[in-house]
Amino acid sequence: MVRCCQRPPNPALPRHDLHKVRVHVQRPRSGGGSRGPGTPPRLEGPGPGGLSRRARFRLHFPQLALRRRLGQLSCMSRPALKLRSWPLTVLYYLLPFGALRPLSRVGWRPVSRVALYKSVPTRLLSRAWGRLNQVELPHWLRRPVYSLYIWTFGVNMKEAAVEDLHHYRNLSEFFRRKLKPQARPVCCLHSVISPSDGKILNFGQVKNSEVEQVKGVTYSLESFLGPRTSVEDLPFPPAASCSSFRNQLVTQEGNELYHCVIYLAPGDYHCFHSPTDWTVSHRRHFPGSLMSVNPGMARWIKELFCHNERVVLTGDWKHGFFSLTAVGATNVGSIRIYFDRDLHTNSPRYSKGSYNDFSFVTHANKEGIPMRKGEHLGEFNLGSTIVLIFEAPKDFNFKLKAGQKIRFGEALGSL
């Protein structure tokens, strides 16, 4: 039991001075003899022994001062409060043995790890990384720098069109290196191929307008693709007027909606290609965050792909709706589409939740941009994620396993 007794106020001493507060600790008696209401409290100094470890800790831990300081924090403005609590939160998660855990006993709550990570200026860091990539390296420094990157991420330079490391003037050219034509043969027997090198995170049928970014973690299909364009712009009328966003995308009766998520690691080939024969009719650009999209982070942050900057290409193929989405990531603010010169990603300023639409269907070109299977489509810097969402008959089968490595040109599935 802990009882606090304060001396009479002295004009020469401030009231909040903890050195003028006496703390008396007394163990509760097992006999249970309690004092009456008229019995004055007994003031006892701490004895030479008998104090528990918890009681001795309370003697040295200024809880009253912390409560007062935390109460002042709650009256601060939101930006100032975020600035004051952010460094303390970092120390809370970094210091060993729960050194700052006693702060939670006096009313302080640390910012969640997800909110802490979201507060990191990833867009600014990505722009700085992009500027650094454009710096031309001295001729003598190119081999050591590129060799370290090759060793770290397991890059296979034997597949590169130019194996000489001195040929690449900067990191950007090295990231966007081309491959030898025979390095990635395109499978002609299957209707859908992998658009890039990477790792299969998830695939399957879209159910209840929800898509799995990794197993057990889903995101909304409408939040990811954005609201549907007008019915007049569709290549086919929808199968039925239904409130379900999934049913709005399905254009032919008896078809289903499928998805496939491919993660590009930093050591992978960074260009992506057309996964099938289709026509691109619309582009939608979502400015957003640039958080990491590695599988561990995808399990940690729900709707990660909906928060990050992304470019959605939609159109149609022989079975109906087809879309390819290039999702940005940390240090991957630059997403380039070869036939779209008006696209500019990772801008310094943007409105949260906004998006920019561009239609490739014009009076001169009423069909859009035709793409052949395996044709060059775009590129990333460093690595990112490709998400395919397409319509196909019910007998469409994936030739994949979750977690497997795949290369551009290999089969994803077929009828």
Side-chain angles (χ1 to χ4, degrees):
M1 179 184 301
V2 178
R3 299 199 303 273
C4 297
C5 177
Q6 189 173 3
R7 291 180 178 176
N10 190 348
L13 298 175
R15 290 176 176 263
H16 60 269
D17 192 349
L18 289 179
H19 295 286
K20 301 305 176 182
V21 179
R22 284 192 298 174
V23 181
H24 301 277
V25 180
Q26 181 182 5
R27 289 180 176 272
R29 299 179 180 178
S30 59
S34 59
R35 295 189 302 270
T39 306
R42 185 173 62 178
L43 301 180
E44 293 181 359
L51 290 180
S52 65
R53 183 178 181 182
R54 184 176 181 182
R56 284 198 301 269
F57 175 77
R58 288 187 177 182
L59 285 174
H60 295 90
F61 194 73
Q63 294 191 9
L64 298 180
L66 280 175
R67 289 182 186 275
R68 187 177 297 109
R69 294 295 298 170
L70 293 172
Q72 294 175 2
L73 285 177
S74 62
C75 300
M76 297 173 62
S77 63
R78 192 168 185 178
L81 178 60
K82 184 177 181 179
L83 182 63
R84 294 287 295 273
S85 62
W86 193 84
L88 194 61
T89 300
V90 174
L91 292 176
Y92 180 86
Y93 291 120
L94 292 182
L95 290 179
F97 310 115
L100 296 183
R101 191 171 298 171
L103 292 177
S104 60
R105 301 178 182 175
V106 294
W108 180 77
R109 292 292 181 270
V111 179
S112 67
R113 289 182 174 88
V114 174
L116 184 64
Y117 179 69
K118 288 182 178 179
S119 65
V120 177
T122 53
R123 294 182 63 87
L124 178 62
L125 295 176
S126 299
R127 285 195 298 273
W129 176 256
R131 296 288 180 86
L132 181 63
N133 289 345
Q134 300 296 330
V135 176
E136 184 173 350
L137 298 176
H139 191 273
W140 61 269
L141 189 59
R142 295 175 186 177
R143 178 174 291 275
V145 171
Y146 299 148
S147 297
L148 178 61
Y149 185 89
I150 292 170
W151 176 80
T152 303
F153 297 105
V155 179
N156 185 6
M157 286 301 296
K158 294 182 179 180
E159 298 177 341
V162 180
E163 299 184 26
D164 184 15
L165 297 180
H166 295 99
H167 171 78
Y168 304 100
R169 295 174 298 176
N170 50 46
L171 288 170
S172 179
E173 289 186 1
F174 179 74
F175 293 148
R176 296 180 287 105
R177 63 194 178 275
K178 303 300 181 182
L179 298 181
K180 297 175 181 177
Q182 65 274 16
R184 297 290 187 273
V186 176
C187 178
C188 300
L189 300 178
H190 296 80
S191 56
V192 183
I193 63 171
S194 175
S196 64
D197 291 6
K199 178 181 180 181
I200 301 296
L201 294 187
N202 214 317
F203 64 92
Q205 197 176 38
V206 176
K207 298 180 180 179
N208 300 324
S209 299
E210 295 283 333
V211 184
E212 283 191 333
Q213 59 188 21
V214 292
K215 188 175 181 179
V217 182
T218 63
Y219 57 91
S220 169
L221 185 63
E222 185 173 6
S223 299
F224 181 71
L225 297 179
R228 193 70 174 102
T229 55
S230 62
V231 179
E232 297 177 357
D233 297 334
L234 297 177
F236 305 100
S241 58
C242 181
S243 59
S244 173
F245 186 76
R246 172 201 162 278
N247 292 341
Q248 295 179 21
L249 299 179
V250 176
T251 60
Q252 300 180 18
E253 294 185 3
N255 285 357
E256 296 291 343
L257 205 61
Y258 299 89
H259 73 98
C260 183
V261 182
I262 305 173
Y263 166 68
L264 286 74
D268 290 328
Y269 170 56
H270 296 125
C271 297
F272 52 93
H273 302 247
S274 175
T276 189
D277 297 332
W278 65 305
T279 302
V280 183
S281 58
H282 186 266
R283 182 259 293 164
R284 177 168 288 169
H285 172 219
F286 290 85
S289 303
L290 288 173
M291 295 180 284
S292 174
V293 293
N294 66 70
M297 197 63 65
R299 297 186 187 95
W300 192 26
I301 301 179
K302 187 179 181 180
E303 295 190 343
L304 173 63
F305 298 156
C306 297
H307 293 302
N308 273 15
E309 184 166 10
R310 59 198 182 276
V311 177
V312 182
L313 300 178
T314 57
D316 62 280
W317 70 318
K318 59 183 179 180
H319 298 296
F321 174 80
F322 197 96
S323 72
L324 182 147
T325 302
V327 183
T330 306
N331 298 331
V332 197
S334 175
I335 303 174
R336 182 183 175 189
I337 305 297
Y338 294 139
F339 57 78
D340 189 358
R341 297 182 179 181
D342 296 328
L343 176 63
H344 300 285
T345 58
N346 198 10
S347 301
R349 296 181 180 180
Y350 73 98
S351 300
K352 187 176 181 180
S354 64
Y355 56 86
N356 305 313
D357 284 332
F358 184 84
S359 178
F360 299 108
V361 178
T362 61
H363 293 288
N365 182 12
K366 297 183 178 181
E367 295 183 356
I369 307 296
M371 298 296 300
R372 303 293 298 174
K373 184 195 298 184
E375 186 178 353
H376 281 80
L377 184 57
E379 63 186 27
F380 291 112
N381 269 332
L382 195 62
S384 192
T385 299
I386 295 289
V387 180
L388 300 178
I389 300 176
F390 56 93
E391 176 185 357
K394 293 182 179 181
D395 56 350
F396 181 86
N397 294 317
F398 284 101
K399 310 294 184 181
L400 303 172
K401 293 182 180 179
Q404 79 170 68
K405 295 287 292 183
I406 196 169
R407 302 199 303 177
F408 156 63
E410 295 180 351
L412 287 183
S414 62
L415 298 174

